[in-house]
Amino acid sequence: MLKAIIRHDKGLHTRVAAMVVQKANELQSRFGAILYIHDHRGNKIPASSLLPLVSLHIRAGDTVMVSSAGGEQEEAAVKALAEFLESDFVLSDAVTLGSVDRMLQDQAVAAEQIFQSLAHGLLVTDEYDQVVVFNPAAARIMKLEASQVIGRPVQDVIPDTRLHVVNRTMTPELSSRQVFGSTVLITNRTPIIVDGEAKGAVAIFEDISSLENTMGELRMVKDLQERLHLILETVEDGICVVDAMGVITYVNPSYLRITGMTRLEVEGKLLSHISPHGGRARALATGQPVLGHISRKANGQTIAANVTPIIVDGEVTGVVSVIKNMFEVEAFMDKLHQVTEQAEYLKQELRRSRKPVKAFDRFIGGSGNVVEALAIAGKAAESLATVLIRGESGTGKELVAEGIHFGSPRAHGPFIRVNCAAIPSALLESELFGHERGAFTGAIRRKQGKFELAHGGTIFLDEIGDMEKSMQVKLLRVLQKREFQRLGGEETLQADVRIIAATNQDLEKMMAAGMFRDDLYYRLNVIPIFLPALRERQADIPLLAEYFLNRIATTLNKPFRGFRQEALEALCHYQWPGNVRELENVVERMLTLSDGPYIELDSLPGYLREIPQSAASGSCMKEDSILPWEDYEKEIIEKALVRYGSFNRAAKVLGLTHKTVAAKARKYGLMKNLVWEKRSE
């Protein structure tokens, strides 16, 4: 190995390196030895390779070592190359110069081929930041032609480029993310430095758009996986996953809690060892779901399982088992049953307390049995079924009938009223069905009956209990066939009419006495509505009295302010055989005869001022100390049971359901016994 000092003022630049390679090839051919050059950093390269030699960046004054391998005259070859390295590299031989030029040309072509073949984009700028190299990969990635780029300032053709910054600062920027249009690039930018001066910059980049999309999808998959895992970990049902080989790969905490097993006892175990004949093994073998499989675990728990096979591309790749503790299911069902009962009770209470539809606003009252009756009427209004309204005279049966009509789909049609008790029996048929001219003496023209006038609407048959049996038969035909004939006529007319009937009589007793037809009763009694007497809803008396006072005072143009307490108490304890109609008449009489702004006790008729002591002690306006609600409720339930003697009858009076009254009686220890049973006799 010999030492050589480079004396050429530009060191081993490309042309000089080509001369060295040319000389080394000549010496290796002559002496049969392979020559190597070593730089001061210990790098060893073949002396006959141009690019590696140029890459050593050997400058003037640098010391290199020359060595040889093989050949009988290697010392002579090493000495000759060392002497050549220390020369001034002046070649006068034209043949040698041509050979050197051809070598440089070949190397340039080879470098060009390398640049063109690179899969990565390559962009090179000179010291003036103009593009000098733009390979095909760069053109493909950036969707630009080389002719559009080469020779132009890099800032003009590449938005957001930093090659000019790298050229100016001579600082490389590696693995930089860059967005070019819709393409995402990863770029390495390196300055070109010659003799300590910036001569341009090189950018090598590749398109990572698909990679970023893949990474985004992977992130989504990972996020979904985390979500699913969190769901599986938190659900109350036990979940077990088994792979195609029958190995349990996952169980959630609920599964371990229900079965009483540990994770080490389950995960990684074969079904054939744990449960060879269970639902999971069967679903895995058959590929069919196993639903409702019941098994008993070692901890004594009874388990219900649904096992579903996992099928991918037509092949069973595993199963998923979802289990429930049967004791927990039964407890849940009991709880659900309790909640359902509570909901049903609250529904009944809501129905009782809910304000009826607007069509019933004229019916004043808020007591339980009134609200119950109006709730039924509101439901009846939604249908076209026949309604039978029961109640004493003056309880407001016609008001309820109007409310049903105007709250029904037939509200746009006529509402025809017929008082069956006010029309003589001989004229009732003509009044209801009409007559033809000449049908009887005095029938000088055709007359339409009430059913004809009510076409498309509603007919209200008040006091239906006073209708004679002969007319009951004809009315029954209308209900059954929905058709009728005028008196003295032959034409059959269709009865597109809804029938609402009302009575203050006990139709059941009338049927027993043969005064009312059973078949007509059952035709009319599709939806029965019972209106309570005013004495059965004493809490509504102050409301009704105030309502009548305001209405009548406005008519009389008298400035009345209200009732005195004593007067209201007297009104509350009167039995009101004429019901609401009687109350209205009494209020009108008091307003007419009174002069002051208040209705005093003295303003009432004498029979209203005579309040029995027993009634006074139970006044609805009594001002006693306030007791807990349950005390009042117990007293009311007990009084109703004592008076009416059965849950069913007491419930109707109180506006409650039979079930609710029975539950209250059990709650307060009022179950049917000899005490109140004897009272009720």
Side-chain angles (χ1 to χ4, degrees):
M1 185 179 294
L2 292 179
K3 179 172 66 176
I5 300 174
I6 305 302
R7 303 189 185 282
H8 191 273
D9 58 352
K10 293 185 179 180
L12 297 186
H13 62 74
T14 306
R15 188 175 181 82
V16 172
M19 294 178 183
V20 173
V21 171
Q22 175 68 20
K23 186 65 175 179
N25 283 331
E26 178 189 336
L27 293 174
Q28 288 180 162
S29 178
R30 185 195 310 172
F31 295 109
I34 299 175
L35 296 169
Y36 295 95
I37 295 177
H38 307 253
D39 64 5
H40 66 282
R41 294 182 294 272
N43 295 316
K44 174 185 175 182
I45 64 167
S48 57
S49 297
L50 178 59
L51 289 178
L53 184 58
V54 173
S55 67
L56 291 178
H57 302 294
I58 299 172
R59 296 178 174 83
D62 286 351
T63 300
V64 298
M65 304 298 292
V66 181
S67 66
S68 174
E72 297 178 355
Q73 303 181 46
E74 57 180 320
E75 291 184 6
V78 170
K79 181 179 179 181
L81 183 57
E83 290 175 352
F84 185 76
L85 288 170
E86 290 186 337
S87 68
D88 56 4
F89 301 107
V90 176
L91 295 177
S92 57
D93 185 355
V95 175
T96 303
L97 288 173
S99 178
V100 169
D101 288 340
R102 283 193 300 274
M103 183 185 300
L104 291 174
Q105 178 66 25
D106 292 343
Q107 292 295 330
V109 171
E112 179 69 18
Q113 289 296 324
I114 292 172
F115 295 158
Q116 296 294 321
S117 303
L118 282 175
H120 291 58
L122 175 66
L123 190 152
V124 182
T125 60
D126 61 14
E127 57 188 310
Y128 304 109
D129 296 325
Q130 293 182 335
V131 180
V132 295
V133 176
F134 192 72
N135 74 340
R140 173 178 51 79
I141 293 171
M142 292 190 168
K143 298 179 177 61
L144 295 172
E145 296 293 335
S147 59
Q148 298 175 285
V149 179
I150 293 177
R152 297 181 61 188
V154 70
Q155 301 98 311
D156 293 348
V157 292
I158 309 297
D160 302 324
T161 184
R162 290 185 55 80
L163 278 179
H164 59 294
V165 178
V166 171
N167 181 33
R168 184 174 66 253
T169 62
M170 294 189 292
T171 302
E173 297 179 354
L174 305 178
S175 301
S176 298
R177 186 178 181 274
Q178 181 180 3
V179 178
F180 185 81
S182 61
T183 305
V184 181
L185 307 175
I186 186 73
T187 306
N188 288 331
R189 305 183 187 95
T190 308
I192 301 173
I193 302 173
V194 179
D195 295 332
E197 296 182 0
K199 298 298 182 181
V202 177
I204 299 177
F205 51 88
E206 63 176 315
D207 184 358
I208 61 168
S209 301
S210 58
L211 179 61
E212 285 218 337
N213 291 337
T214 302
M215 291 177 63
E217 292 175 359
L218 288 174
R219 282 193 295 269
M220 290 176 62
V221 171
K222 184 178 179 181
D223 180 64
L224 179 60
Q225 184 179 14
E226 290 295 330
R227 290 171 184 266
L228 291 176
H229 182 73
L230 181 61
I231 292 171
L232 293 176
E233 290 287 299
T234 55
V235 295
E236 290 297 317
D237 292 344
I239 297 175
C240 173
V241 181
V242 182
D243 66 12
M245 304 302 295
V247 177
I248 299 174
T249 59
Y250 171 79
V251 291
N252 71 341
S254 295
Y255 184 92
L256 301 175
R257 173 181 57 80
I258 293 172
T259 60
M261 304 176 75
T262 65
R263 196 172 295 277
L264 290 176
E265 293 175 322
V266 182
E267 288 187 348
K269 306 299 183 181
L270 284 168
L271 284 180
S272 57
H273 295 163
I274 296 180
S275 179
H277 306 295
R280 291 170 294 182
R282 198 189 328 158
L284 187 63
T286 63
Q288 298 297 321
V290 177
L291 305 178
H293 180 75
I294 306 298
S295 61
R296 190 172 182 84
K297 297 300 180 183
N299 62 352
Q301 297 291 349
T302 301
I303 305 300
N306 289 333
V307 187
T308 305
I310 304 171
I311 300 176
V312 179
D313 295 332
E315 295 185 2
V316 179
T317 60
V319 295
V320 175
S321 174
V322 180
I323 67 171
K324 294 179 182 292
N325 187 321
M326 290 300 295
F327 175 78
E328 294 178 356
V329 173
E330 291 171 358
F332 174 77
M333 293 302 296
D334 289 342
K335 184 69 174 177
L336 181 61
H337 183 67
Q338 293 177 7
V339 172
T340 302
E341 287 186 342
Q342 292 175 357
E344 181 63 26
Y345 171 74
L346 293 175
K347 180 180 177 182
Q348 294 290 340
E349 293 296 314
L350 177 63
R351 185 167 65 89
R352 290 181 58 250
S353 61
R354 184 176 56 192
K355 184 175 178 61
V357 295
K358 192 173 181 179
F360 300 98
D361 282 351
R362 291 177 59 198
F363 197 102
I364 308 301
S367 60
N369 43 15
V370 168
V371 174
E372 179 79 14
L374 294 184
I376 297 173
K379 283 290 187 181
E382 299 173 1
S383 70
L384 297 178
T386 303
V387 178
L388 178 61
I389 304 174
R390 311 283 294 273
E392 295 180 5
S393 179
T395 53
K397 296 187 289 297
E398 186 172 340
L399 280 179
V400 174
E402 287 182 2
I404 293 174
H405 169 72
F406 290 108
S408 74
R410 291 177 172 258
H412 62 281
F415 179 72
I416 303 299
R417 302 169 179 83
V418 179
N419 190 324
C420 299
I423 303 174
S425 301
L427 299 178
L428 184 58
E429 181 178 1
S430 173
E431 190 70 20
L432 291 178
F433 307 124
H435 62 256
E436 296 288 352
R437 180 179 178 182
F440 52 84
T441 303
I444 59 176
R445 58 182 177 83
R446 172 188 287 180
K447 177 186 175 182
Q448 288 185 323
K450 300 298 185 183
F451 273 94
E452 224 172 324
L453 294 174
H455 184 80
T458 304
I459 187 168
F460 174 51
L461 302 177
D462 196 9
E463 304 300 346
I464 191 73
D466 294 326
M467 182 181 289
E468 289 190 356
K469 293 192 71 174
S470 60
M471 276 301 302
Q472 293 178 23
V473 176
K474 297 177 180 179
L475 178 61
L476 179 62
R477 177 177 176 82
V478 177
L479 287 169
Q480 290 176 331
K481 303 293 185 178
R482 293 292 171 180
E483 61 185 26
F484 63 94
Q485 292 178 337
R486 297 189 191 98
L487 186 63
E490 297 181 355
E491 180 184 4
T492 300
L493 304 176
Q494 296 300 315
D496 180 17
V497 176
R498 181 186 191 170
I499 296 177
I500 300 177
T503 184
N504 60 358
Q505 300 195 41
D506 190 335
L507 296 183
E508 290 78 12
K509 287 184 178 180
M510 292 181 66
M511 286 191 297
M515 300 172 62
F516 200 85
R517 293 182 62 92
D518 295 15
D519 45 7
L520 178 59
Y521 170 80
Y522 293 117
R523 284 286 182 179
L524 292 173
N525 198 43
V526 177
I527 300 180
I529 298 175
F530 293 88
L531 295 184
L534 189 55
R535 62 183 173 275
E536 296 174 352
R537 54 183 185 116
Q538 289 185 337
D540 290 339
I541 293 176
L543 293 175
L544 288 163
E546 291 288 343
Y547 170 76
F548 291 137
L549 182 142
N550 293 329
R551 194 189 72 184
I552 298 171
T554 301
T555 303
L556 298 177
N557 197 22
K558 284 190 174 184
F560 283 97
R561 297 183 182 179
F563 292 85
R564 293 296 187 187
Q565 182 73 17
E566 299 83 0
L568 273 182
E569 288 185 3
L571 294 178
C572 283
H573 294 292
Y574 180 60
Q575 292 300 300
W576 300 107
N579 292 295
V580 178
R581 187 180 294 116
E582 182 184 4
L583 175 61
E584 182 180 8
N585 293 337
V586 168
V587 172
E588 184 174 5
R589 181 192 313 172
M590 290 187 293
L591 288 176
T592 303
L593 300 177
S594 297
D595 296 323
Y598 290 96
I599 301 297
E600 307 284 350
L601 180 62
D602 294 340
S603 303
L604 270 63
Y607 65 90
L608 288 177
R609 294 197 299 268
E610 298 174 0
I611 306 174
Q613 185 63 32
S614 59
S617 64
S619 170
C620 64
M621 307 301 294
K622 185 177 179 181
E623 296 182 358
D624 285 336
S625 59
I626 302 301
L627 299 176
W629 167 253
E630 291 186 348
D631 290 353
Y632 295 108
E633 189 175 53
K634 177 181 178 182
E635 183 178 353
I636 291 169
I637 297 292
E638 184 176 15
K639 284 183 177 180
L641 290 173
V642 168
R643 174 174 295 185
Y644 296 101
S646 72
F647 294 138
N648 192 35
R649 293 177 62 191
K652 288 182 179 180
V653 173
L654 295 174
L656 301 174
T657 64
H658 172 276
K659 184 177 180 181
T660 300
V661 173
K664 297 291 185 182
R666 284 194 296 269
K667 177 180 178 181
Y668 298 122
L670 302 175
M671 294 301 292
K672 190 170 183 180
N673 52 57
L674 293 175
V675 176
W676 59 264
E677 195 174 65
K678 288 180 179 179
R679 284 181 181 175
S680 62
E681 293 177 351

